[in-house]
Amino acid sequence: MKLTARSVSLVPIVSAFAAAALCTTLVVTATGSVANAATTLGAAAAQSGRYFGTAVAAAKLGDQTYVNLLNTEFNMVTAENEMKWDATEPNRGQFNYSGGDRILNQAVSTGKRVRGHALLWYQQEPGWAQRMEGSDLRQAMMNHVTQVATHYKGKVYAWDVVNEAFADGGGGGRRDSNLQRTGNDWIEAAFRAARAADPGAKLCYNDYNTDGVNPKSTGIYNMVRDFKSRGVPIDCVGFQSHLSGNPPGDYQANLQRFADLGVEVQITELDIAGNNQANAYGAVTKACMAVRACAGITTWGIRDTDSWRSGENPLLFTGSGAKKPAYNAVLDALNAGGPGPTTTTTTTTTTTTTTTTTSNNPGPGDCTASVSLNQWDGGFVATIKVTAGSSALSGWRVTTTLSGGTVTSSWSANRSGNNGSITWSNVDYNANVPAGGSTEFGFQGTGNGTGLNPSCSAS
C-alpha cells in the first residue's frame, strides 16, 4: 500500500463565519436534467449544481495525456499529497507551499475549484511532529491549521480539516493517535481554528469505511450532530468510498442521514475495483444525484496507472487515457440529473480588519495582547495574540471590552462572560509561552467587535 497516496485499512475493500463575514450572497438553485447531454464529467455534474473532480499529483503535471484529461473532464481538483502536513511544514515553523501552489495555480488557470486536503491527519505527519505529544503538539497542530488555511484563504472551496480520526472495528470511537492524545476536543479546536483562518471555506471531516450505516459511520454521525448542536463550524462530511464492487445497499441512506443534520456530503476519494465496475460507479453516482445535499464526487486519480491501487485498475480511464465503460456509466448518471444542492455565488463587499496592540510594555513575566478583527454587518471574528515579555509565561489572562456585541463561540481559551468586560485565560495546551514567543485564541460574535482593547497579564 502506498502511504504517499492513501494509507487506509481496506476491509474487503471498503464497504466500507461565517462566510457572511465576507459577502453578499446570491442564491442560485440548480435545476435537474438538460435537453442536450453534456459530454464531459465536469460539465455533466455542473448541470445539477455539482462538481466532478479528481486528485492530482504535481509531479504528473508534465504528462500531457494526464493534463489533457484533467483540463477537459474535471471541474474540481484535490492535491494528493502536496497540501498535507509533511509537505507544507517539513520543519516546525518553516512552511513550503510550492507543490500545493503549483496544483492550485494550474487548477485556477483552467477554471477549476480546489478542495484542500488535509490539514490534520495522524499519517503523513512530518518527522518532528511524530516525536511530539501533549500541549506542545497541540500548539503545533493549531499553528499548522492556522498558517496553512491562512495561506490558502479565499483560494479553496473546502478543506478536509481532519482526516481519518475514527477507529475501525465495532466500537465507533476515536482512533488512538498522538493527535487524539492531546485531548478529545482536538477535532473541535481544529475546526474552530480553520474557520478563524478562512471564514469562506467549507470545513469537512473526511474518513473511509463509512460508506454504509455501521458503527464507524455512526460514531462520526454522532460527532457531527454534537458539533451542529453546539455551533462548532462544520459544513461537510467526506466519504472516501474506496470500494470493491457495488456500494453497500444503504449507501444512499447513509449519505442522506448526514445531509439531514444540515451538512453537505461529498464523495471525496472514489475508486472501485472488481468485475462489476461500471454498475458500481453508476450506483455511487446515482446515489449522490438522489441526495440533494451531495455536492459532488472526486475520484482518487485519473488513470488506472495513476492510482494507489494501480494493480486493481479502479479508475475511469486506462493508462493510455482511454475511457472505460465505468466512465460512460458515470456520465449517463450525471446527465440523468437530479435536484442539486443550493449553490452560492459570493461577491466580496467589505471586510474591516484592524489590529490594536496594548501598550503595557511587557517586562519579565509579563505579556501583551493584540487583536486582529474581521468585522462585517452584524458579526465579527476576533483573533487575540498573546506575546510573552522577556521571561517565559506559565499562564496568562486577557481582558477585553465588548460593548456593542455578544460572543457566540470561542476557542483555545477559557472565557468568563459574553459581553461587557470579558476575561480570558489559557487552556492547558497554550499556557506555556517562551520569552518573546506568542500564542493565539479567538472568538466569534454578533454585533460590533470594535473597541476590544485587550490587556494581558501573567497568571
Side-chain angles (χ1 to χ4, degrees):
M1 219 178 291
K2 289 201 307 184
L3 179 63
T4 55
R6 301 295 310 130
S7 175
V8 302
S9 300
L10 295 178
V11 178
I13 298 180
V14 185
S15 86
F17 97 51
L22 300 175
C23 63
T24 302
T25 301
L26 171 65
V27 177
V28 182
T29 303
T31 60
S33 58
V34 295
N36 297 312
T39 58
T40 65
L41 300 172
Q47 294 170 150
S48 63
R50 294 179 172 88
Y51 64 81
F52 201 96
T54 190
V56 171
K60 294 178 180 174
L61 292 177
D63 181 326
Q64 196 58 54
T65 301
Y66 183 93
V67 171
N68 286 344
L69 290 171
L70 171 62
N71 290 347
T72 302
E73 291 288 347
F74 303 96
N75 60 357
M76 183 72 75
V77 165
T78 300
E80 278 194 26
N81 296 291
E82 289 81 355
M83 293 186 183
K84 291 173 182 171
W85 196 350
D86 59 347
T88 52
E89 194 180 3
N91 299 297
R92 188 173 187 177
Q94 296 179 353
F95 291 85
N96 181 355
Y97 301 110
S98 58
D101 286 355
R102 184 182 178 192
I103 290 174
L104 182 138
N105 291 336
Q106 195 278 342
V108 171
S109 71
T110 55
K112 307 180 197 314
R113 292 182 294 165
V114 175
R115 294 188 78 261
H117 175 83
L119 292 173
L120 292 178
W121 184 29
Y122 78 100
Q123 294 277 13
Q124 290 184 244
E125 294 179 21
W128 61 267
Q130 295 173 26
R131 298 185 291 270
M132 296 174 66
E133 59 184 17
S135 61
D136 195 24
L137 176 59
R138 175 66 77 97
Q139 188 166 2
M141 291 158 54
M142 294 304 104
N143 182 65
H144 178 77
V145 170
T146 297
Q147 296 299 325
V148 176
T150 297
H151 176 80
Y152 288 108
K153 180 179 180 180
K155 300 176 182 178
V156 299
Y157 157 75
W159 270 110
D160 290 330
V161 178
V162 172
N163 192 48
E164 299 178 9
F166 277 73
D168 293 313
R174 300 280 186 89
R175 179 189 302 277
D176 180 47
S177 69
N178 61 342
L179 306 180
Q180 178 64 26
R181 292 190 294 273
T182 66
N184 200 52
D185 65 332
W186 74 275
I187 298 177
E188 175 177 343
F191 273 82
R192 294 192 185 279
R195 174 66 87 228
D198 188 355
K202 292 182 182 292
L203 306 182
C204 306
Y205 176 81
N206 190 54
D207 217 323
Y208 69 97
N209 279 355
T210 59
D211 305 298
V213 177
N214 59 39
K216 184 175 183 179
S217 64
T218 297
I220 296 166
Y221 175 90
N222 290 335
M223 178 189 73
V224 175
R225 181 173 59 184
D226 171 62
F227 280 8
K228 295 296 288 186
S229 72
R230 295 190 294 109
V232 179
I234 185 168
D235 306 304
C236 38
V237 176
F239 300 81
Q240 293 183 15
S241 297
H242 298 293
L243 301 172
S244 280
N246 286 322
D250 54 2
Y251 187 85
Q252 180 180 322
N254 190 44
L255 296 179
Q256 187 63 60
R257 71 167 176 158
F258 278 88
D260 291 342
L261 293 176
V263 292
E264 261 187 19
V265 292
Q266 303 176 10
I267 300 168
T268 53
E269 303 184 19
L270 181 64
D271 47 29
I272 306 177
N275 295 327
N276 202 27
Q277 189 182 57
N279 288 341
Y281 262 106
V284 168
T285 307
K286 290 173 185 176
C288 176
M289 300 297 284
V291 176
R292 192 179 189 94
C294 185
I297 298 171
T298 295
T299 57
W300 203 251
I302 298 176
R303 304 166 299 186
D304 287 334
T305 48
D306 304 318
S307 172
W308 69 295
R309 300 168 67 187
S310 57
E312 299 174 278
N313 299 322
L315 294 172
L316 300 177
F317 298 88
T318 68
S320 65
K323 299 171 183 176
K324 296 165 63 177
Y327 172 95
N328 295 322
V330 171
L331 187 65
D332 289 346
L334 294 172
N335 274 320
T342 299
T343 61
T344 59
T345 302
T346 57
T347 304
T348 301
T349 52
T350 57
T351 299
T352 303
T353 302
T354 60
T355 301
T356 305
T357 306
T358 59
S359 57
N360 51 330
N361 296 321
D366 212 344
C367 55
T368 59
S370 61
V371 56
S372 295
L373 181 68
N374 289 323
Q375 176 74 54
W376 64 93
D377 185 16
F380 65 90
V381 172
T383 302
I384 309 290
K385 177 181 285 189
V386 174
T387 302
S390 56
S391 298
L393 300 174
S394 58
W396 48 264
R397 186 180 303 274
V398 171
T399 301
T400 59
T401 301
L402 181 59
S403 57
T406 300
V407 174
T408 56
S409 63
S410 59
W411 49 93
S412 300
N414 297 310
R415 178 176 92 241
S416 175
N418 293 320
N419 49 40
S421 180
I422 304 174
T423 300
W424 310 83
S425 58
N426 61 271
V427 291
D428 58 351
Y429 58 83
N430 61 9
N432 297 308
V433 183
S438 61
T439 188
E440 292 183 340
F441 68 93
F443 55 97
Q444 181 176 349
T446 59
N448 193 324
T450 57
L452 290 169
N453 193 30
S455 61
C456 183
S457 61
S459 63

